[in-house]
Amino acid sequence: MTLNPHAFMLTLEKRAGFTDADKALLKANADWGVKVAPEMTDHFYAYLARDEEMNAILHTGQERIHRLHETFIQWFQEMFTGIDNWGPGYADRRWKIGLVHVRLGIGPQHVVPAMATVIHEVGKQLQAEGQSEVLKDTLSRICMIDLAFIEQAYVEVSSAAVLQETGWTEGLFKRLIATGARSM
């Protein structure tokens, strides 16, 4: 069940409808992404800080929250540049981000609504500046791709841990999951 980030990225691009036109639009607006990244960071962490569980994870020291802010700004700006035109470098970085979320215990139940907050705030900013919704739609697609990497990291890490601990085969594990889902 080992994920290939590069193949996963290509699959997600197709599923999300993330096109070459989207990439060109993001690159054309990279300066805007740099400009609004700090504000989007503030919205993101303000949202997370309202949650008691997330606030405890985020505020284990002043250095951590500062690092997290810097990392978020970099992540946000990379959505506009694609690092390497949304190729292997981008996929590898997004996969690592997903694994860090797993390691820190920041689950999808926190990341999904926080990502929605970012998309909402981007939309408000674009509207305030009189810009088109097209950029918001494009950013939404790349955000969903990035979010899929985080969620898939949970699946991969959990599955690998169960398989390692139990000695089960991947086929058996998938059958047990399907059976369990049907019984719920």
Side-chain angles (χ1 to χ4, degrees):
M1 297 182 98
T2 304
L3 180 98
N4 176 328
H6 312 144
F8 191 59
M9 181 71 189
L10 293 172
T11 299
L12 292 173
E13 282 185 30
K14 289 177 189 164
R15 287 181 180 157
F18 187 65
T19 65
D20 287 341
D22 290 329
K23 294 174 185 181
L25 180 62
L26 289 171
K27 285 182 179 182
N29 286 280
D31 289 342
W32 185 83
V34 168
K35 180 183 89 170
V36 301
E39 183 180 344
M40 294 305 116
T41 303
D42 291 343
H43 288 299
F44 182 79
Y45 285 108
Y47 170 82
L48 291 175
R50 292 191 298 265
D51 181 273
E52 188 177 317
E53 184 180 352
M54 276 308 306
N55 195 46
I57 291 171
L58 295 173
H59 291 93
T60 59
Q62 196 58 21
E63 293 169 11
R64 171 180 260 182
I65 196 68
H66 178 72
R67 263 191 335 271
L68 290 171
H69 277 256
E70 288 177 350
T71 301
F72 184 93
I73 288 171
Q74 181 181 359
W75 164 80
F76 191 83
Q77 292 171 354
E78 288 173 355
M79 286 191 300
F80 287 87
T81 65
I83 300 173
D84 59 352
N85 201 38
W86 296 270
Y90 190 88
D92 288 340
R93 176 128 164 84
R94 279 7 193 204
W95 181 239
K96 288 176 187 170
I97 288 170
L99 294 174
V100 167
H101 280 80
V102 174
R103 190 173 68 243
L104 294 177
I106 303 170
Q109 74 274 18
H110 300 294
V111 178
V112 172
M115 190 72 80
T117 298
V118 171
I119 293 167
H120 176 73
E121 293 299 331
V122 161
K124 284 174 41 180
Q125 185 69 34
L126 288 168
Q127 185 177 22
E129 295 178 16
Q131 293 197 36
S132 150
E133 287 276 317
V134 176
L135 182 56
K136 178 186 174 194
D137 294 342
T138 298
L139 274 168
S140 294
R141 281 189 286 284
I142 194 61
C143 281
M144 293 305 103
I145 288 170
D146 286 8
L147 185 57
F149 270 99
I150 295 169
E151 290 189 352
Q152 193 64 33
Y154 271 92
V155 170
E156 297 292 325
V157 169
S158 300
S159 300
V162 168
L163 293 176
Q164 182 178 346
E165 288 295 317
T166 63
W168 294 344
T169 65
E170 188 175 326
L172 173 61
F173 181 68
K174 286 181 177 181
R175 282 193 311 278
L176 290 171
I177 296 296
T179 301
R182 281 193 296 273
S183 71
M184 294 184 115

